[in-house]
Coordinates of all heavy atoms in Angstrom, one line a residue:
V14 N -3.3 9.2 -0.5 CA -2.5 9.4 0.6 C -3.4 9.3 1.9 O -4.3 10.2 2.0 CB -1.6 10.7 0.6 CG1 -0.7 10.8 1.8 CG2 -0.7 10.6 -0.6
K15 N -3.1 8.5 2.9 CA -3.9 8.4 4.1 C -3.1 8.9 5.3 O -1.8 8.7 5.2 CB -4.3 6.8 4.2 CG -5.2 6.3 3.1 CD -6.6 6.9 3.3 CE -7.4 6.5 2.1 NZ -8.8 7.1 2.1
P16 N -3.9 9.2 6.2 CA -3.1 9.7 7.5 C -2.2 8.6 8.0 O -2.6 7.3 7.8 CB -4.2 10.0 8.5 CG -5.3 10.3 7.7 CD -5.2 9.4 6.4
G17 N -1.1 8.8 8.6 CA -0.3 7.8 9.2 C 0.8 7.3 8.2 O 1.4 6.2 8.3
N18 N 1.0 8.1 7.0 CA 2.0 7.8 6.0 C 1.6 6.5 5.3 O 2.5 5.7 5.0 CB 3.4 7.8 6.6 CG 3.9 9.2 6.7 OD1 3.7 10.0 5.9 ND2 4.6 9.4 7.9
V19 N 0.4 6.2 5.1 CA 0.0 5.1 4.3 C -0.6 5.5 2.9 O -1.3 6.4 2.8 CB -1.2 4.3 5.0 CG1 -1.7 3.2 4.2 CG2 -0.7 3.7 6.4
L20 N 0.1 4.8 1.9 CA -0.3 5.1 0.5 C -1.2 3.9 0.1 O -0.9 2.8 0.1 CB 0.9 5.1 -0.3 CG 0.6 5.3 -1.8 CD1 0.1 6.6 -2.1 CD2 2.0 5.1 -2.7
K21 N -2.4 4.2 -0.3 CA -3.4 3.3 -0.7 C -3.3 3.1 -2.3 O -3.3 4.1 -3.0 CB -4.8 3.6 -0.5 CG -5.2 3.5 1.0 CD -5.2 2.1 1.5 CE -6.6 1.7 1.7 NZ -6.8 0.3 2.3
V22 N -2.9 1.9 -2.8 CA -2.9 1.7 -4.3 C -3.8 0.6 -4.6 O -3.4 -0.3 -5.4 CB -1.4 1.5 -4.7 CG1 -0.6 2.9 -4.6 CG2 -0.7 0.6 -3.8
D23 N -4.9 0.5 -4.0 CA -5.8 -0.6 -4.1 C -6.4 -0.7 -5.6 O -6.9 -1.7 -5.9 CB -7.0 -0.4 -3.2 CG -6.7 -0.9 -1.8 OD1 -5.5 -1.2 -1.5 OD2 -7.5 -0.9 -1.0
S24 N -6.4 0.5 -6.4 CA -7.1 0.4 -7.7 C -6.2 -0.3 -8.6 O -6.7 -0.8 -9.7 CB -7.5 1.7 -8.1 OG -6.4 2.5 -8.3
F25 N -4.8 -0.4 -8.4 CA -4.0 -1.1 -9.5 C -3.0 -2.0 -8.9 O -2.4 -2.8 -9.7 CB -3.4 0.0 -10.3 CG -2.4 1.0 -9.5 CD1 -1.0 0.7 -9.5 CD2 -2.9 2.1 -8.9 CE1 -0.1 1.6 -8.8 CE2 -2.0 2.9 -8.3 CZ -0.7 2.7 -8.1
L26 N -2.8 -2.1 -7.5 CA -1.6 -2.9 -7.1 C -2.1 -3.9 -6.0 O -1.7 -5.1 -6.0 CB -0.5 -2.0 -6.6 CG 0.9 -2.7 -6.3 CD1 1.6 -3.0 -7.6 CD2 1.8 -1.8 -5.4
N27 N -2.8 -3.4 -4.9 CA -3.1 -4.1 -3.8 C -4.4 -4.9 -3.6 O -4.6 -5.6 -2.7 CB -2.9 -3.2 -2.5 CG -1.5 -3.0 -2.1 OD1 -1.1 -2.0 -1.6 ND2 -0.6 -4.0 -2.6
H28 N -5.3 -4.5 -4.5 CA -6.6 -5.2 -4.5 C -7.1 -5.5 -5.9 O -6.9 -6.6 -6.3 CB -7.6 -4.2 -3.7 CG -8.9 -4.8 -3.3 ND1 -9.1 -6.1 -3.0 CD2 -10.1 -4.2 -3.1 CE1 -10.4 -6.3 -2.7 NE2 -11.0 -5.2 -2.7
Q29 N -7.5 -4.5 -6.6 CA -7.6 -4.7 -8.1 C -6.2 -4.6 -8.6 O -5.4 -3.8 -8.1 CB -8.4 -3.6 -8.7 CG -8.6 -3.6 -10.2 CD -9.6 -2.7 -10.6 OE1 -10.8 -3.1 -11.0 NE2 -9.4 -1.4 -10.7
M30 N -5.8 -5.5 -9.6 CA -4.5 -5.5 -10.1 C -4.4 -5.2 -11.6 O -5.2 -5.9 -12.3 CB -3.9 -6.9 -9.8 CG -3.8 -7.3 -8.4 SD -3.0 -8.8 -8.0 CE -4.4 -9.9 -8.3
D31 N -3.7 -4.3 -12.0 CA -3.5 -4.0 -13.4 C -2.4 -4.8 -14.0 O -1.1 -4.5 -13.8 CB -3.1 -2.4 -13.5 CG -3.0 -2.0 -14.9 OD1 -2.7 -2.8 -15.8 OD2 -3.1 -0.9 -15.2
I32 N -2.7 -5.8 -14.7 CA -1.7 -6.8 -15.1 C -0.7 -6.2 -16.2 O 0.3 -6.7 -16.3 CB -2.5 -8.1 -15.6 CG1 -3.2 -8.7 -14.5 CG2 -1.5 -9.1 -16.1 CD1 -2.5 -8.9 -13.1
A33 N -1.3 -5.3 -17.0 CA -0.4 -4.6 -18.0 C 0.8 -3.9 -17.2 O 1.9 -4.0 -17.6 CB -1.2 -3.7 -18.8
L34 N 0.4 -3.3 -16.2 CA 1.3 -2.6 -15.3 C 2.3 -3.6 -14.6 O 3.6 -3.5 -14.6 CB 0.7 -1.8 -14.3 CG 1.7 -1.0 -13.3 CD1 2.5 0.1 -14.0 CD2 0.9 -0.3 -12.2
F35 N 1.8 -4.7 -14.2 CA 2.6 -5.8 -13.5 C 3.6 -6.3 -14.5 O 4.7 -6.6 -14.2 CB 1.6 -6.9 -13.0 CG 1.0 -6.7 -11.7 CD1 0.7 -5.4 -11.2 CD2 0.6 -7.7 -10.9 CE1 -0.1 -5.2 -10.0 CE2 0.0 -7.5 -9.6 CZ -0.4 -6.2 -9.2
E36 N 3.1 -6.4 -15.8 CA 4.1 -6.9 -16.8 C 5.2 -6.0 -17.0 O 6.4 -6.5 -17.1 CB 3.3 -7.1 -18.1 CG 2.5 -8.4 -18.1 CD 1.6 -8.7 -19.2 OE1 1.5 -7.7 -20.1 OE2 1.1 -9.7 -19.4
E37 N 5.0 -4.8 -16.9 CA 6.0 -3.7 -17.0 C 7.0 -3.8 -15.8 O 8.2 -3.7 -15.9 CB 5.6 -2.4 -17.2 CG 4.8 -2.1 -18.6 CD 5.6 -2.5 -19.8 OE1 6.9 -2.2 -19.8 OE2 5.1 -3.2 -20.7
I38 N 6.3 -3.9 -14.6 CA 7.1 -4.2 -13.4 C 8.0 -5.4 -13.4 O 9.2 -5.3 -13.2 CB 6.1 -4.1 -12.2 CG1 5.5 -2.7 -11.9 CG2 6.9 -4.7 -11.0 CD1 4.4 -2.7 -11.0
G39 N 7.4 -6.5 -13.9 CA 8.2 -7.8 -14.0 C 9.3 -7.7 -15.0 O 10.4 -8.1 -14.7
K40 N 9.1 -7.0 -16.1 CA 10.2 -6.9 -17.1 C 11.3 -6.0 -16.5 O 12.5 -6.2 -16.8 CB 9.7 -6.0 -18.4 CG 9.1 -6.8 -19.4 CD 8.7 -6.0 -20.5 CE 7.4 -6.4 -21.2 NZ 6.8 -5.6 -22.1
E41 N 11.0 -4.8 -15.7 CA 11.9 -4.0 -15.1 C 12.8 -4.8 -14.0 O 14.0 -4.6 -14.0 CB 11.2 -2.8 -14.5 CG 12.2 -1.8 -14.0 CD 13.2 -1.2 -15.0 OE1 13.0 -1.3 -16.2 OE2 14.2 -0.6 -14.5
F42 N 12.1 -5.5 -13.3 CA 13.0 -6.4 -12.3 C 13.8 -7.3 -13.1 O 15.0 -7.5 -12.7 CB 12.0 -7.2 -11.4 CG 11.3 -6.4 -10.3 CD1 10.0 -6.7 -9.9 CD2 12.0 -5.4 -9.6 CE1 9.3 -5.9 -9.0 CE2 11.4 -4.7 -8.6 CZ 10.1 -4.9 -8.2
Q43 N 13.4 -8.0 -14.1 CA 14.2 -8.9 -14.9 C 15.3 -8.1 -15.5 O 16.5 -8.6 -15.4 CB 13.3 -9.6 -16.0 CG 13.9 -10.9 -16.4 CD 15.0 -10.9 -17.4 OE1 15.0 -9.8 -18.2 NE2 15.9 -11.7 -17.5
R44 N 15.2 -6.9 -16.0 CA 16.2 -6.0 -16.5 C 17.3 -5.8 -15.5 O 18.4 -6.0 -15.8 CB 15.6 -4.8 -17.1 CG 16.6 -4.1 -18.0 CD 16.0 -2.8 -18.6 NE 15.8 -1.8 -17.4 CZ 16.8 -1.0 -16.9 NH1 18.1 -1.2 -17.3 NH2 16.5 -0.2 -16.0
R45 N 16.9 -5.5 -14.3 CA 17.8 -5.1 -13.3 C 18.5 -6.2 -12.7 O 19.7 -6.2 -12.2 CB 17.1 -4.3 -12.2 CG 16.4 -3.0 -12.6 CD 16.1 -2.2 -11.4 NE 15.3 -1.0 -11.9 CZ 15.1 0.1 -11.2 NH1 15.6 0.1 -9.9 NH2 14.4 1.1 -11.7
F46 N 18.0 -7.5 -12.7 CA 18.6 -8.6 -12.1 C 19.0 -9.7 -13.2 O 19.1 -10.9 -12.8 CB 17.8 -9.2 -11.0 CG 17.7 -8.4 -9.7 CD1 16.5 -7.5 -9.6 CD2 18.6 -8.3 -8.8 CE1 16.5 -6.7 -8.4 CE2 18.5 -7.6 -7.7 CZ 17.4 -6.8 -7.4
S47 N 19.2 -9.3 -14.4 CA 19.3 -10.2 -15.5 C 20.6 -11.0 -15.4 O 20.7 -12.1 -15.9 CB 19.2 -9.6 -16.9 OG 20.1 -8.6 -17.0
Q48 N 21.6 -10.4 -14.8 CA 22.8 -11.0 -14.8 C 23.1 -11.8 -13.4 O 24.3 -12.3 -13.1 CB 23.9 -9.9 -14.8 CG 23.9 -9.0 -16.0 CD 24.0 -9.8 -17.3 OE1 24.9 -10.6 -17.5 NE2 23.0 -9.5 -18.2
D49 N 22.1 -12.0 -12.6 CA 22.3 -12.5 -11.3 C 22.0 -14.1 -11.2 O 22.1 -14.6 -10.0 CB 21.6 -11.7 -10.3 CG 22.1 -10.4 -10.2 OD1 23.2 -10.1 -9.6 OD2 21.5 -9.4 -10.9
G50 N 21.6 -14.7 -12.2 CA 21.3 -16.2 -12.2 C 20.3 -16.6 -11.1 O 20.4 -17.6 -10.4
V51 N 19.2 -15.7 -11.1 CA 18.1 -15.9 -10.1 C 17.5 -17.4 -10.5 O 17.2 -17.7 -11.6 CB 17.0 -14.9 -10.3 CG1 15.8 -15.3 -9.4 CG2 17.6 -13.5 -9.9
T52 N 17.3 -18.2 -9.4 CA 16.7 -19.6 -9.6 C 15.2 -19.6 -8.9 O 14.5 -20.5 -9.2 CB 17.5 -20.7 -9.0 OG1 17.5 -20.4 -7.5 CG2 18.9 -20.6 -9.5

Side-chain angles (χ1 to χ4, degrees):
V14 181
K15 297 287 178 187
N18 283 319
V19 172
L20 178 67
K21 290 285 255 183
V22 284
D23 281 5
S24 65
F25 61 96
L26 193 74
N27 281 153
H28 191 26
Q29 176 168 260
M30 297 183 284
D31 180 338
I32 301 306
L34 178 67
F35 279 29
E36 284 172 347
E37 294 307 315
I38 288 170
K40 271 185 219 166
E41 182 60 19
F42 283 141
Q43 203 278 331
R44 192 182 68 75
R45 295 191 191 202
F46 290 98
S47 62
Q48 303 302 312
D49 295 283
V51 174
T52 65

